[in-house]
Amino acid sequence: MGMERRGLVAYVEAQIERDIALGRLHPSGQFGSEAKLARRYEVCRGTIREALRRLAARGLVVQRPGRKTRAVPLDESLTLENLGLALHDASNPDARWLLEGYFSLKRQVLVELLADCCARASDLDLDRLGSTCYQLQDAARWESGEVCAWAEFELLRHAARVAARPGHVLLVQSLQRAFLGGAAQLLPLMGGEALR
């Protein structure tokens, strides 16, 4: 698949994902035929087929032979990695609730990891953790929300490694992907004052 086609598939995938998030589908969640979708998004059927295949791999749509592709209800398909899907409509109270849940989870993970890693940390590890904490404090005071977020994820990753919790390393990666996926919606809420 050429670079141009991959970019087009990714674009169509993002557009369909947005339509799912904003409830622009038939109430049954079913999509029209590939030909109809191709006309709607002004691409060929192969591009539609690949975009739907990628959405199915992410658990956002269900494809069964002989049946129309349908979207999975948002409450069943939502994961940290596709949290941005629920944040397309910021006026939706559920989006605010999920966003608060995201920040609460991140806070709980940070507190748990820091408590555990401080109990296990060597002097060298404590120095590195302290240095990362000071970087985070400086970022919160002087930098943008994005810089604050990167410093916080660096602290989480380091704490998970020191605490020897591989499951938490994976959770931190998922939290960071969720942040990147919804960065436009999350960044205004990640300012220094809120982080402090």
Side-chain angles (χ1 to χ4, degrees):
M1 185 184 302
M3 180 67 106
E4 189 173 304
R5 170 112 191 276
R6 275 197 300 261
L8 190 55
V9 170
Y11 170 78
V12 171
E13 179 185 3
Q15 292 305 306
I16 294 173
E17 184 177 321
R18 183 174 172 82
D19 287 346
I20 292 169
L22 296 176
R24 293 179 179 161
L25 301 179
H26 187 272
S28 70
Q30 289 185 336
F31 293 94
S33 67
E34 287 180 357
K36 186 176 178 181
L37 288 171
R39 284 192 301 275
R40 178 176 178 181
Y41 295 105
E42 299 178 349
V43 295
C44 70
R45 287 176 59 188
T47 301
I48 292 294
R49 191 173 303 123
E50 180 63 16
L52 291 174
R53 187 195 63 72
R54 288 168 64 166
L55 289 167
R58 293 172 50 209
L60 299 177
V61 303
V62 175
Q63 294 181 305
R64 292 198 179 106
R67 294 186 176 179
K68 287 185 179 176
T69 300
R70 71 170 182 81
V72 175
L74 199 53
D75 59 346
E76 293 175 26
S77 65
L78 199 60
T79 64
L80 278 172
E81 279 76 11
N82 63 24
L83 178 65
L85 188 66
L87 302 179
H88 279 300
D89 183 8
S91 64
N92 183 341
D94 285 343
R96 178 73 185 178
W97 180 72
L98 287 167
L99 192 55
E100 288 170 2
Y102 167 83
F103 283 118
S104 174
L105 176 62
K106 189 160 65 69
R107 212 171 20 252
Q108 289 170 15
V109 169
L110 181 60
V111 169
E112 183 180 332
L113 283 175
L114 285 176
D116 194 30
C117 82
C118 286
R120 297 172 180 240
S122 67
D123 288 342
L124 180 60
D125 288 328
L126 285 174
D127 283 345
R128 287 183 183 153
L129 285 166
S131 175
T132 307
C133 284
Y134 284 122
Q135 289 172 356
L136 179 58
Q137 183 181 13
D138 282 348
R141 186 173 298 142
W142 308 109
E143 302 289 345
S144 68
E146 187 174 5
V147 174
C148 292
W150 284 113
E152 189 173 21
F153 284 118
E154 185 58 36
L155 178 61
L156 279 163
R157 269 192 300 280
H158 189 63
R161 284 190 206 103
V162 171
R165 291 189 173 197
H168 279 69
V169 171
L170 296 172
L171 179 56
V172 169
Q173 286 177 224
S174 290
L175 287 166
Q176 188 164 14
R177 280 196 202 109
F179 173 78
L180 294 173
Q185 292 85 5
L186 296 174
L187 278 174
L189 303 170
M190 290 290 293
E193 189 58 39
L195 191 55
R196 272 198 298 280

